[in-house]
């Protein structure tokens, strides 16, 4: 018998938990599915077990704050199914999932996508070598297992996350060989138009300055103006080579390199559902078009949290609550005026939390070189295709990313273009001398996640057809 719910929430991070709690307050039947073994998402990963430990204290107050929300979520009455993958969503809404080796389809009146964000893929020569990770991956290891690299690490990148991670790593007893700062020159000059916003959000600015102070007090070496990066070694990382603004190159011994070039909304599910998207030129990424309640161009499909636009944990919570009010309003559980009254303080809170976002976008734009890697750089890890392979394919009759996919298999691997999509689009655009927004992005086909034949065979097709 097919299970039915008023709402299926996909993702149990800050936005998904907040949405579920508000939806349950309206007595709606809610199913929350999430790939992780416990609630918290990427920002509050493993918060229930880690928050009260020494590691939780090292990670800071903002991380520990997630434990209270996780407890409220556990008690709200939503059906919660962790370690569950969503591999297809069909109009109706029918959500196909796999859990513990078995596939199932559940039906819902509405779907909330609280799928978060991902680190921006930034390929460079040698980035597939053992010993090269993203800052986000290293932070996950610190949160879940308090894994601190034995050798001093090199950190390459820009933005708030590298600063936060380096501060956390130092508190945990780790060592930093150096920070290769890839921030484009003139960051503070670009931030000047938002000086008022910075003063109004001084608490957030002070946190960033505090992380910088921790690095300085620890004597962390900071190399400014890095424009290019190579990881060198045969079977593992042995050296790094970086290029400075004046064109000079330097080499350093290295065993661990962590890179980060910002975060972008996760768009695979909204793209698969053919929701309308817009191009964000400041951060060179796509984001879904949403109404005031977080609903996409597909009626009944809502997006909450960083998948709607990068804002952080607290903004994700506010967006999750707003989406829940919008869902309840559309379902007739809340009168329009009551929904507006409940939404007003949340909208004001969200405006305040996002006040600094334009300044951060201007300070830390993605550097052009990450979209123009050398020919020998692997850009599609799944199919081991280089930038040169993509450039050669792009010269065949002005193809778009989907034609390049057909020519080369780029984007056909397990990640389905999550790691190569933007890079491929930029390479094609550069070869054809067209704007990236015009070139477009991959069409996303089901299954959205790898699915075994055994899992597919376990789906009750007769029940589905009935």
């Amino acid at each position: 018998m097919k299970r039915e719910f008023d709402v299926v929430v996909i993702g149990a991070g800050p936005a998904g938990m907040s949405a579920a709690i508000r939806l349950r307050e309206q007595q709606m039947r809610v199913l929350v599915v999430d790939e992780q073994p416990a609630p918290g998402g990427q920002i509050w990963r493993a918060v229930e077990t880690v928050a009260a430990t020494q590691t939780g204290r090292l990670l800071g107050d903002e991380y520990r704050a997630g434990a209270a929300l996780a407890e409220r979520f556990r008690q709200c009455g939503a059906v919660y199914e962790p370690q569950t993958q969503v591999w297809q969503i069909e109009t109706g809404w029918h959500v196909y999932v796999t859990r513990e080796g078995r596939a199932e389809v559940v039906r819902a009146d509405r779907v909330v996508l609280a799928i978060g964000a991902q680190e921006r893929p930034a390929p460079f020569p040698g980035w597939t070598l053992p010993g090269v990770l993203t800052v986000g991956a290293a932070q996950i290891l610190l949160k879940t297992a308090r894994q601190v690299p034995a050798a001093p690490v090199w950190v390459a990148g820009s933005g708030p996350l590298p600063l936060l991670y380096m501060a956390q790593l130092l508190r945990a007893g780790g060592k930093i060989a150096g920070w290769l700062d890839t921030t484009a020159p003139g960051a503070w000059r670009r931030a000047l138009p938002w000086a008022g916003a910075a003063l109004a959000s001084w608490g957030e600015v002070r946190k960033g300055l505090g992380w910088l102070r921790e690095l300085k007090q620890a004597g962390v070496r900071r190399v400014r103006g890095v424009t290019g990066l190579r990881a060198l070694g045969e079977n593992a990382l042995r050296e790094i080579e970086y290029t400075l603004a004046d064109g000079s190159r330097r080499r350093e011994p290295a065993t661990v390199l962590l890179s980060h070039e910002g975060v972008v909304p996760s768009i695979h599910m909204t793209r698969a559902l053919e929701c309308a998207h817009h191009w964000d030129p400041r951060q060179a990424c796509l984001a879904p078009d949403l109404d005031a309640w977080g609903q996409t161009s597909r009626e009944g499909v809502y997006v909450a949290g960083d998948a709607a636009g990068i804002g952080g944990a607290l903004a994700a919570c506010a967006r999750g609550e707003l989406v829940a009010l919008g869902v309840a309003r559309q379902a007739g559980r809340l009168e329009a005026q009551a929904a507006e009254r409940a939404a007003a303080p949340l909208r004001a809170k969200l405006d305040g939390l996002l006040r600094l976002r334009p300044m951060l976008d201007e300070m830390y734009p993605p550097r052009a070189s990450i979209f123009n890697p050398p020919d020998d750089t692997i850009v599609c890890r799944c199919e081991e295709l280089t930038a040169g392979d993509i450039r050669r394919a792009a010269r065949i009759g002005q193809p778009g990313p989907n034609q390049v996919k057909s020519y080369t298999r780029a984007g056909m691997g397990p990640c389905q273009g999550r790691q190569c999509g933007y890079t491929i689009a930029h390479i094609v655009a550069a070869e054809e001398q067209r704007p990236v927004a015009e070139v477009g992005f991959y069409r996303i086909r089901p299954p959205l996640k790898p699915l075994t034949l055994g899992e597919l065979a376990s789906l009750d097709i007769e029940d589905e057809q009935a």
Side-chain angles (χ1 to χ4, degrees):
M1 193 73 181
K2 186 189 301 181
R3 294 188 293 165
E4 296 198 9
F5 296 87
D6 295 317
V7 188
V8 170
V9 178
I10 301 173
M17 290 191 291
S18 299
I21 292 167
R22 275 273 185 167
L23 289 165
R24 287 295 300 147
E25 289 174 358
Q26 301 303 317
Q27 303 302 309
M28 300 186 79
R29 298 170 300 160
V30 180
L31 169 66
V32 180
V33 296
D34 187 59
E35 293 185 2
Q36 302 304 322
Q42 299 294 352
I43 295 177
W44 289 332
R45 184 183 283 261
V47 70
E48 291 174 306
T49 56
V50 174
T53 67
Q54 177 63 24
T55 300
R57 288 187 283 276
L58 294 173
L59 293 172
D61 294 339
E62 283 196 1
Y63 174 78
R64 295 197 301 274
L69 183 65
E71 183 177 2
R72 288 176 57 210
F73 168 66
R74 291 276 193 183
Q75 297 173 354
C76 75
V79 177
Y80 168 53
E81 296 182 355
Q83 295 182 305
T84 301
Q85 285 197 333
V86 175
W87 51 272
Q88 171 65 332
I89 304 173
E90 293 181 353
T91 304
W93 295 100
H94 298 85
V95 182
Y96 292 77
V97 301
T98 56
R99 187 183 188 205
E100 297 178 347
R102 295 190 61 83
E104 178 191 9
V105 57
V106 297
R107 206 204 72 79
D109 295 331
R110 291 161 185 84
V111 176
V112 173
L113 305 179
I115 49 181
Q118 67 172 77
E119 285 186 272
R120 181 194 306 279
F124 55 87
W127 72 310
T128 59
L129 279 172
V132 182
L133 298 84
T134 65
V135 170
Q139 191 184 50
I140 287 172
L141 291 172
L142 179 61
K143 289 177 179 178
T144 57
R146 200 180 175 180
Q147 288 197 16
V148 176
V153 304
W154 285 90
V155 177
S158 67
L161 183 59
L163 292 177
L164 171 59
Y165 172 74
M166 286 188 285
Q168 292 171 338
L169 182 62
L170 291 171
R171 295 171 202 160
K175 296 180 180 179
I176 300 171
W179 169 25
L180 305 179
D181 188 353
T182 61
T183 305
W188 290 108
R189 184 176 65 252
R190 293 192 298 274
L192 284 178
W194 286 273
L199 289 173
S201 305
W202 184 247
E204 294 299 307
V205 175
R206 187 169 58 235
K207 281 192 299 187
L209 295 175
W211 299 333
L212 282 170
R213 186 166 56 251
E214 287 185 65
L215 301 185
K216 186 174 182 179
Q217 289 173 348
V220 172
R221 176 186 172 194
R222 180 180 184 182
V223 182
R224 300 173 187 265
V226 173
T227 59
L229 185 64
R230 281 181 176 267
L232 306 170
E234 289 295 327
N235 299 314
L237 178 66
R238 295 288 178 263
E239 289 183 303
I240 57 170
E241 179 182 275
Y242 54 91
T243 306
L244 298 175
D246 61 6
S248 62
R249 295 181 180 179
R250 299 178 186 174
R251 283 197 181 191
E252 305 275 0
T255 55
V256 179
L257 170 63
L258 310 176
S259 68
H260 177 83
E261 294 293 343
V263 292
V264 294
S266 294
I267 58 168
H268 261 55
M269 285 190 183
T270 47
R271 291 284 298 175
L273 289 167
E274 298 183 344
C275 301
H277 291 71
H278 62 273
W279 182 257
D280 180 351
R282 288 183 300 191
Q283 285 299 305
C285 66
L286 288 166
D289 293 347
L290 305 173
D291 68 12
W293 300 100
Q295 185 170 218
T296 69
S297 59
R298 299 292 303 273
E299 185 175 343
V301 178
Y302 292 75
V303 177
D306 278 355
I310 307 304
L314 297 181
C317 291
R319 281 173 164 157
E321 292 192 63
L322 279 170
V323 160
L325 292 174
V327 168
R329 175 179 175 271
Q330 190 186 60
R333 300 297 184 96
L334 265 182
E335 292 185 358
Q337 290 184 339
E340 289 290 353
R341 285 195 299 271
L346 287 171
R347 296 191 199 284
K349 180 181 180 180
L350 184 60
D351 287 345
L353 291 169
L354 296 179
R355 192 181 291 119
L356 274 182
R357 194 68 239 173
M359 185 184 83
L360 293 174
D361 287 345
E362 288 294 338
M363 289 181 69
Y364 304 113
R367 54 191 175 90
S369 61
I370 67 174
F371 299 124
N372 185 34
D375 277 349
D376 62 346
T377 306
I378 290 178
V379 294
C380 177
R381 300 180 72 146
C382 300
E383 300 294 332
E384 296 188 351
L385 296 165
T386 66
D389 294 329
I390 305 305
R391 289 189 177 103
R392 284 188 288 274
R395 295 175 190 137
I396 305 173
Q398 288 230 330
N402 293 294
Q403 287 72 39
V404 170
K405 180 196 289 189
S406 299
Y407 298 161
T408 65
R409 290 190 56 82
M412 287 190 180
C415 88
Q416 293 189 309
R418 290 172 178 83
Q419 294 299 312
C420 69
Y422 284 121
T423 306
I424 302 299
H426 277 84
I427 291 174
V428 170
E431 287 296 313
E432 299 178 3
Q433 298 184 347
R434 289 197 289 159
V436 185
E438 181 183 312
V439 165
F441 198 80
Y442 292 137
R443 282 190 296 273
I444 308 303
R445 308 278 191 190
L448 299 174
K449 290 295 178 72
L451 182 72
T452 69
L453 288 175
E455 289 169 335
L456 186 60
S458 72
L459 187 66
D460 191 340
I461 297 176
E462 290 185 3
D463 181 60
E464 164 62 6
Q465 289 175 340

